[in-house]
Structure formats: C-alpha cells, structure tokens
C-alpha cells in the first residue's frame, strides 16, 4: 500500500501539536511544560525525518525542514533561558508561545504539502488553546493568524494541483476551516470565559466565607469576654459606691466611678447592638449627623487631637441606611487614624464627607507613616499585627460596612499618612 510522504510528515505534525495541547492542559506552569514537551517533539521530528528519507526513501525537502526544526531548537532554548529565572511571567508570554507554534506549524506544512496536507486543520488547535488560556483580544489575534496562514498556503498552491474539481474542493476546505475557526473562537472562547467568571465568583465566595467565619469567631469571643466582664464590673461599681459613702469628697473615687459607669454604658450599648443586628433593625441617618457624632466622640475622648471636618453642601440633607454597628465601625477607623497620627508625633486628622453619586464617601486621613504593601493587601481581610493597632478593628468594621452595602478602601496619601475611604449607599 502506498503511503504519501505528506501523510508521514503529517503524523509528525500531529505529535508536535499534541505535545502542545498537553502542555496547556497541565496544572503546572504552561510555559515550561511547553518548552519541555516541545524539546521532546523536536527529537521525534528529527528521528522521523531521518526515517522517512533514509528508510522509506521519500524525497522531502531535507534542508528546508531542518532549518525549521533548527529554528524551533533556537527558539526553545532562548525561551528557556529567558523564563528560567523569572518569578512572574509577562501577560504576553503565553501569546508569543502560541504564535510561535502557528509559525512553526505553518512552516512545516508549507514544506510538506501546504493546503493539500490532510492535517492542515491542525491550525485549529492553537485557536482552541488560546480560547481556554488567553483573553478575547488575544484569542482573535491568534485566530486571524491561523486563518491567514491557511489562506496564504492556499494562495501559493501550484496551479498543477487545481485540475478537475479540485479547485472547488480546496476552496471548500478553506471555507470550512474559516467557519470552524470562528466557531471554535466564539463558542469555546465564550465557554472558557464563563468558566473563568464562575471560578472567580467561587473564589470570591470562598474568601467571603472565610472572612465571615473569622468575623463570627471574633464576635463569639467578644460576647464571651463581655459576659465575663459584666459581673466583675458590677461588683466594682458596688464597691465604689461603698467607698463613696465612706469618702464622699474623694476625687479619685468620683473619677473611678465615672470610668466604671462608662464601662457599664459600653456593655449596655453592646447588648443593644447585638439585639439590633439579630433583629436586623435599620434606621435612616444623615451625613451631617454622622459627622456630628464623630466630632462629639473625638472632642470627648481625644481632646488633644485637632481635627478638620468638611461636609459638602449636597450631602447634608441626604440619608443612608444604618444599624447600631455603623457608628462603632466608623469610630474604630477614626481611632486607628488617631493612633497612627500620634505614633508619628502629630495631633491632627482630617475628615471629609462627599457625595459620589450612589455613595456617601467618608474620607478619613491621618498624618502617620502610612501602610506597607503587605498590610494593604491583608487589612480588612484577616487580622494582622500592627504597631498602630490595625487588625481586628478594621476587619470588623469592614464586615459592618459590607452588611450595609458599603465598603472600606485603604490607601496611602501621596505626601504623608494614610487615607481610609468609607463608602455607604444613599437611600
């Protein structure tokens, strides 16, 4: 039985393309898997080329094919040297590897039959790979390159082949390839995009679940500590009342009684907060009222802090939806800003309330040393240690804002300090 040399070499092309598919489907780094398997494919190419020429005595263009294979070797070695010591790969690295595969595959096809080669449809495989691994613009770039490769090989096909009805046959094959390429790019690309969206949503859901578990754990621990503190504080209040009866003019006892009363009020507020959250009690509050409460808190608890509060005129009469955890969450951020400012030998913070169409933005700026990149990446997501006291307070505040449909953004100021932006939706 006669076996065409084109068919022999098409088998070689199939092996090369399959190695590329395995590389892209691997869970490991696709770049280095491609380079490793492409090296194996080059060895197979050389072996089969020697077999076809010296054993089967088919006269393939030896020199041209060896030039293509040599180019593959040079490109593979150069790619390995380039990516060897790089921790982060460029977003375009995978694209260049796919484009290189199209170039090498096109060159091998052009010297083994071109558009007459039965395996010319292998040019669809880089398109399918790109649909799974690359973004939409890069996918269509690869698809256009593959279509262009097929079109050029059809255009350069000698007229001696176009006898009888073969011209219509080859044009029909080209139309079939064009249609198949578009279908693969659109359908597979869309399916891959949907999978990426689902994977991203699942990852976000898992992160949210982990964060909620941490918040619940902190809430349980806070409730236990609060319950344990209630009895000793009540006992301390009774003892202070007895001491006051014995020394009614003692200023120390009066101050101690005032501090214990603050503790009792805080416990009562905590109990009310827990009840409101459980019952999902919500109320409306204006931006100006929030800023007034913040000002009162700073003036009462931090009289040595100078602060500037600016409320834009278009936000004063607008309301947001709040619960009993909102103000304590904002106060946590304010306290952290005050600690950061004082740690940097400063006594000033700035608070601005602005209208950002759908949101009320409360911008709190401190004059501390700012955040490191590591802290910015984890603040609000998990508790972290910090000299300025950031950690659980930010995590709990972030969770409180999210329950109200808001969010917290932490950034560094361009000159000095950090900025905490609290965004809460208008009603």
């Amino acid at each position: 039985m006669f076996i065409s040399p084109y068919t022999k070499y098409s088998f070689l092309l199939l092996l090369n393309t399959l190695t590329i598919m395995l590389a892209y489907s691997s869970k490991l780094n696709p770049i280095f898997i491609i380079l490793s398997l492409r090296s194996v494919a080059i060895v197979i190419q050389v072996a089969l080329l020697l077999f076809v020429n010296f054993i089967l005595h088919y006269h393939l263009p030896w020199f041209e094919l060896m030039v293509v294979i040599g180019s593959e070797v040079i490109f593979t070695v150069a790619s390995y040297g380039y990516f060897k010591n790089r921790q982060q790969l460029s977003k375009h690295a995978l694209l260049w590897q796919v484009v290189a595969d199209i170039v090498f595959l096109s060159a091998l096809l052009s010297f083994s039959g071109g558009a007459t080669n039965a395996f010319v449809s292998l040019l669809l495989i880089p398109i399918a790979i790109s649909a799974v691994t690359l973004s939409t613009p890069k996918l269509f770039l690869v698809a256009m390159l593959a279509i262009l490769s097929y079109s050029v090989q059809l255009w350069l096909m000698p007229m001696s082949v176009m006898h009888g009805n073969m011209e219509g046959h080859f044009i029909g094959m080209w139309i079939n390839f064009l249609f198949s390429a578009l279908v693969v790019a659109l359908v597979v690309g869309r399916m891959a995009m949907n999978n990426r969206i689902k994977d991203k949503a699942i990852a976000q859901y898992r992160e949210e679940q982990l964060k909620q578990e941490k918040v619940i754990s902190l809430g349980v621990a806070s409730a236990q500590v609060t319950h344990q503190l209630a009895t000793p504080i009540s006992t301390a209040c009774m003892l202070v009342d007895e001491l006051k009866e014995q020394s009614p003019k003692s200023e120390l006892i009066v101050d101690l009684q005032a501090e214990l009363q603050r503790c009792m009020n805080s416990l009562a507020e905590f109990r009310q907060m827990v009840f409101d959250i459980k019952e999902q009690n919500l109320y409306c509050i204006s931006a100006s009222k929030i800023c007034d409460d913040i000002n009162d808190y700073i003036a009462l608890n931090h009289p040595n802090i100078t602060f500037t509060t600016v409320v834009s005129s278009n936000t004063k009469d607008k309301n947001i939806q709040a619960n009993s955890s909102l103000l304590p969450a904002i106060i946590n951020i304010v306290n952290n800003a005050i600690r950061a400012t004082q740690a940097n030998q400063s006594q000033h913070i700035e608070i601005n309330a602005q209208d950002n169409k759908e949101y009320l933005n409360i911008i709190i700026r401190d004059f501390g040393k700012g955040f490191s990149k590591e802290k910015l990446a984890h603040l609000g997501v998990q508790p972290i240690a910090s000299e300025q006291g950031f950690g659980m307070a930010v995590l709990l505040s972030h969770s409180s804002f999210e329950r109200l449909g808001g969010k917290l953004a932490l950034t560094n100021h361009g000159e000095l300090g950090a900025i905490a932006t609290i965004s809460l939706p208008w009603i």
Side-chain angles (χ1 to χ4, degrees):
M1 181 178 62
F2 176 77
I3 300 176
S4 169
Y6 297 150
T7 305
K8 289 288 186 180
Y9 206 78
S10 297
F11 177 72
L12 170 63
L13 299 179
L14 178 60
L15 289 178
N16 185 41
T17 309
L18 288 177
T19 57
I20 297 171
M21 292 181 63
L22 290 174
Y24 284 103
S25 63
S26 174
K27 294 181 180 180
L28 301 177
N29 192 319
I31 297 294
F32 293 102
I33 298 297
I34 287 173
L35 299 179
S36 300
L37 295 182
R38 187 184 291 154
S39 301
V40 176
I42 291 172
V43 175
I44 298 175
Q45 289 173 11
V46 174
L48 289 180
L49 185 59
L50 294 173
F51 177 78
V52 168
N53 275 269
F54 294 105
I55 304 300
L56 300 180
H57 303 292
Y58 292 133
H59 299 290
L60 293 177
W62 171 278
F63 176 76
E64 290 83 354
L65 291 173
M66 289 304 297
V67 169
V68 175
I69 295 175
S71 300
E72 283 187 276
V73 173
I74 294 173
F75 180 79
T76 303
V77 173
S79 298
Y80 179 77
Y82 180 79
F83 295 115
K84 181 179 179 181
N85 297 321
R86 291 180 177 267
Q87 298 294 333
Q88 295 182 349
L89 300 179
S90 169
K91 295 180 180 179
H92 303 292
L94 199 57
L95 172 64
W96 287 115
Q97 294 296 322
V98 177
V99 171
D101 292 329
I102 292 178
V103 172
F104 293 135
L105 185 59
S106 301
L108 293 174
L109 286 169
S110 65
F111 293 115
S112 57
T116 64
N117 194 309
F119 289 98
V120 70
S121 59
L122 290 177
L123 286 169
L124 290 173
I125 295 178
I127 302 176
I129 293 170
S130 301
V132 176
T133 58
L134 298 179
S135 61
T136 301
K138 294 183 177 66
L139 164 62
F140 281 96
L141 173 61
V142 172
M144 291 300 104
L145 289 176
I147 293 172
L148 178 62
S149 173
Y150 195 120
S151 302
V152 169
Q153 295 189 63
L154 181 63
W155 178 265
L156 297 178
M157 195 165 55
M159 294 302 297
S160 59
V161 183
M162 298 292 188
H163 56 81
N165 295 326
M166 295 305 296
E167 181 178 0
H169 172 73
F170 289 125
I171 293 176
M173 288 179 60
W174 178 83
I175 295 175
N176 176 67
F177 179 85
L178 177 63
F179 177 76
S180 301
L182 293 177
V183 169
V184 170
L186 294 174
V187 176
V188 179
R190 183 62 181 177
M191 293 173 62
M193 182 183 297
N194 290 337
N195 288 335
R196 286 193 291 267
I197 293 174
K198 290 180 181 178
D199 291 341
K200 185 177 180 180
I202 292 173
Q204 291 178 346
Y205 176 77
R206 289 177 179 174
E207 291 180 1
E208 185 64 24
Q209 286 293 104
L210 291 174
K211 186 167 66 174
Q212 291 300 324
E213 289 177 3
K214 294 174 183 177
V215 171
I216 292 173
S217 300
L218 291 172
V220 172
S222 300
Q224 291 176 345
V225 172
T226 302
H227 179 72
Q228 294 173 358
L229 288 176
T231 300
I233 289 177
S234 299
T235 303
C237 288
M238 295 176 59
L239 295 175
V240 168
D241 290 338
E242 294 179 1
L243 290 175
K244 189 175 181 181
E245 292 178 359
Q246 297 177 4
S247 303
K249 297 182 180 180
S250 175
E251 295 182 359
L252 292 177
I253 295 177
V254 173
D255 293 340
L256 180 59
Q257 189 178 36
E259 295 300 323
L260 287 173
Q261 186 59 44
R262 286 181 59 186
C263 293
M264 293 296 293
N265 293 338
S266 297
L267 289 176
E269 292 174 358
F270 179 80
R271 294 190 184 96
Q272 184 61 39
M273 184 190 309
V274 172
F275 177 79
D276 290 341
I277 293 175
K278 179 181 178 181
E279 299 297 327
Q280 296 183 350
N281 294 333
L282 300 175
Y283 60 90
C284 296
I285 187 171
S286 64
S288 57
K289 179 63 169 63
I290 293 176
C291 291
D292 290 341
D293 292 341
I294 295 173
N295 294 341
D296 293 341
Y297 172 82
I298 297 175
L300 179 63
N301 295 276
H302 302 279
N304 57 331
I305 294 293
T306 59
F307 58 93
T308 303
T309 303
V310 178
V311 183
S312 59
S313 58
N314 56 342
T315 64
K316 292 182 178 181
D317 298 330
K318 290 186 176 181
N319 295 326
I320 64 170
Q321 198 171 57
N323 58 21
S324 56
S325 67
L326 176 61
L327 185 59
I330 298 176
I331 294 302
N332 283 337
I333 306 301
V334 172
N335 285 333
N336 286 333
I338 292 173
R339 293 191 190 100
T341 293
Q342 291 176 335
N344 200 30
Q345 307 302 319
S346 179
Q347 299 291 332
H348 181 69
I349 63 172
E350 295 179 355
I351 302 174
N352 294 312
Q354 302 175 354
D355 182 7
N356 186 20
K357 294 183 180 180
E358 298 180 358
Y359 291 90
L360 163 66
N361 285 343
I362 302 176
I363 304 172
I364 303 171
R365 181 198 170 183
D366 64 63
F367 291 83
K369 299 179 181 179
F371 302 111
S372 64
K373 292 183 179 180
E374 292 77 12
K375 289 180 181 178
L376 280 177
H378 295 93
L379 279 173
V381 179
Q382 61 185 19
I384 61 173
S386 172
E387 295 178 357
Q388 299 175 355
F390 291 95
M392 290 188 294
V394 177
L395 176 62
L396 294 173
S397 296
H398 199 179
S399 178
S400 298
F401 300 142
E402 287 183 341
R403 283 197 297 269
L404 295 171
K407 55 186 176 180
L408 172 65
L410 301 172
T411 57
N412 287 322
H413 192 271
E415 298 177 359
L416 180 66
I419 297 176
T421 303
I422 303 169
S423 300
L424 299 167
W426 296 113
I427 296 179

